[in-house]
Structures are given as C-alpha cells and as structure tokens.
Amino acid sequence: MTDTIIADNITRVRDRIRRAAQQYHRADNSVTLLAVSKTRGADEVRAAHRAGLSDIGENYLSEALDKQAALTELPLVWHFIGPLQSNKSRAVAEHFDWVHSVDRLKLARRLSEQRPPALAALNICLQVNISGEASKAGCAPSALPALAQQVAALPRLRLRGLMAIPAPSDNEAEQRAAFAQLRALLEQLREELPALDTLSMGMSGDMEAAIAEGATIVRVGTDIFGAREKKPSDV
Ligand SMILES: *Cc1c(COP(=O)(O)O)cnc(C)c1O
C-alpha cells in the first residue's frame, strides 16, 4: 500500500473518530488512535508515522521485533496486543511500552520481574473475555477484581485499564452492549483503583460503538493499512 493511500486512510479514520466523539459528547483528544500493523512492513509503519501516528500495535513478537529494529530512529510508542505465552514475556518487557493482552497473574508477574530498571513502568491493560467465548483469550469478568488488585501491586507495571475483543457483530446495539459491559467493569474497578484511565476497545468495524461507550484507545488495522491476508494463526 502506498504512503498516500495510508495517509488518506488515516485522515478518514481520524474523521470518523472526531465525528463519533462529537456525537457522544466526548473531547476530541480523549480517543487515541492505535495503528495495528500486524503483517505490515516497516515502511508502512513509517508512512503511518509520517501521517501523524505514533502509537503502533503489534500481535506477533518476532515480526514486531524486526520492525522495531528497522525503525529505531522514530519516536514510536509500541503496544503489544496479541496473545502472549509466558515464555516470550522477556522480549515484550524489554521492547514494548504497553501490553493490552494480560489475562493472568503469572504473565503479569514475569513482565514485572523482567521489565528493565532503566525503563518506565510497563503500561498494562487486562484483557477481558466479554462475550464468554471458550476459544477467546481474556480473563472471565468474575475473576477480574482479584486479578486487577494483584496486578496493580506489581512494582514494575502500571495498570491502566481494560481491553476486550467482543464477538464480531454488524449490529450497533449489540456492539455497544458488549462495550458497555467493559465500561461497567472498569467503573467498578475504579472504586478501588481510581488511577485506572484506559478502555482499549473498538477496531475498524466497530470503533464508533466503542467511542460511544467510552473507548480511550481504538485499535485500527484494516481501515488504515487495507485488508490482511489471513494467517493460519489468526482466529
Ligand atoms: C488485528 C487486531 C486489531 C485490528 O483489527 P482491524 O479489524 O483490522 O481494525 C485490533 N485489535 C486486536 C487485538 C487485533 O488483533
């Protein structure tokens, strides 16, 4: 995809975010656009940066590390958003600014222990399995309060909020109902942990519904970089 197309796509996505923010009485700058660049090359990330984006989301560790190595000159904020095996936590703790996909204490403990002392605390979102699908990653809503307390106490992590990937739906009311659940879970946690400030929710197909329900980070791949070829590992 050419730089011009990526820049035009980003303009369109920004317009959608601005319109949704206005419609739902949110401040324009209250929603961060995270460019999801899985399967895309370093050149495409560079084009997104040139078009004004600095938050980059990656799902696959080795692919992400290659891109980071090719882009060290850019002041990018790297978000790990994919499933993470505990035995791969060290590289994530060393090379990312955020992890959105923490869903168990063991993984959080390792990330905290492995976060290099020279770096700021690693920003964490807990991934919640909102739709209750057995195949989906994420902690059960009922397990969330205990997990949040334990993760918040880890010294090298900074617990920021929640992330979810609801079951896909074309129906805006259904989309909003799922995002409203995540928002309600965050509100509940904030009674004990008032510093939590992040709802990572909404993708290309449902970002307006997510913004309506309070998303502070929308994670957009397809509508910035075009359709992806399916990887066998994609769910
Ligand atoms: C791929 C992916 C996205 C982006 O999805 P699009 O529909 O391409 O915008 C967002 N979040 C996560 C966790 C992803 O894996």
Side-chain angles (χ1 to χ4, degrees):
M1 185 147 293
T2 71
D3 287 20
T4 318
I5 296 176
I6 291 173
D8 287 349
N9 286 348
I10 288 172
T11 300
R12 265 193 294 274
V13 169
R14 282 198 185 290
D15 283 345
R16 284 171 64 189
I17 292 172
R18 196 173 306 117
R19 273 198 300 274
Q22 269 164 14
Q23 182 176 354
Y24 300 109
H25 312 290
R26 309 262 322 264
D28 255 8
N29 61 2
S30 64
V31 184
T32 296
L33 173 55
L34 174 60
V36 176
S37 51
K38 62 184 172 208
T39 78
R40 299 296 170 176
D43 285 348
E44 288 161 288
V45 175
R46 199 175 280 114
H49 177 260
R50 220 175 277 128
L53 299 190
S54 50
D55 288 274
I56 306 298
E58 289 283 343
N59 292 60
Y60 309 109
L61 181 59
S62 63
E63 183 195 317
L65 295 176
D66 287 348
K67 267 176 258 186
Q68 289 177 345
L71 295 167
T72 48
E73 82 279 9
L74 298 185
L76 299 172
V77 179
W78 291 94
H79 300 243
F80 193 85
I81 63 174
L84 181 53
Q85 293 167 278
S86 295
N87 63 5
K88 294 191 176 167
S89 59
R90 181 176 298 279
V92 171
E94 290 175 350
H95 292 280
F96 284 81
D97 302 293
W98 286 72
V99 183
H100 293 228
S101 46
V102 172
D103 59 1
R104 57 201 191 279
L105 185 60
K106 178 186 174 188
L107 175 60
R109 280 203 179 116
R110 288 178 63 100
L111 289 169
S112 181
E113 282 161 12
Q114 293 165 341
R115 181 67 169 172
L119 298 181
L122 181 61
N123 294 293
I124 299 291
C125 292
L126 298 177
Q127 184 174 352
V128 186
N129 186 352
I130 272 302
S131 311
E133 293 166 287
S135 62
K136 275 265 176 71
C139 103
S142 59
L144 187 60
L147 180 63
Q149 287 292 348
Q150 289 168 308
V151 172
L154 293 171
R156 300 291 295 132
L157 304 185
R158 180 174 171 206
L159 181 61
R160 300 296 297 269
L162 302 178
M163 182 274 237
I165 313 171
S169 162
D170 291 335
N171 178 293
E172 185 162 3
E174 260 173 41
Q175 294 171 357
R176 282 189 62 166
F179 294 135
Q181 278 184 62
L182 197 70
R183 178 217 278 265
L185 289 168
L186 184 75
E187 285 310 317
Q188 224 174 299
L189 293 182
R190 279 168 49 85
E191 289 173 16
E192 306 272 331
L193 301 166
L196 301 192
D197 61 3
T198 301
L199 278 173
S200 167
M201 60 188 196
M203 317 200 299
S204 294
D206 56 14
M207 69 178 105
E208 284 86 357
I211 290 167
E213 297 298 340
T216 63
I217 300 179
V218 291
R219 309 177 310 267
V220 179
T222 306
D223 285 358
I224 291 176
F225 298 110
R228 289 179 296 276
E229 298 202 16
K230 264 223 174 291
K231 278 198 173 184
S233 55
D234 272 0
V235 223

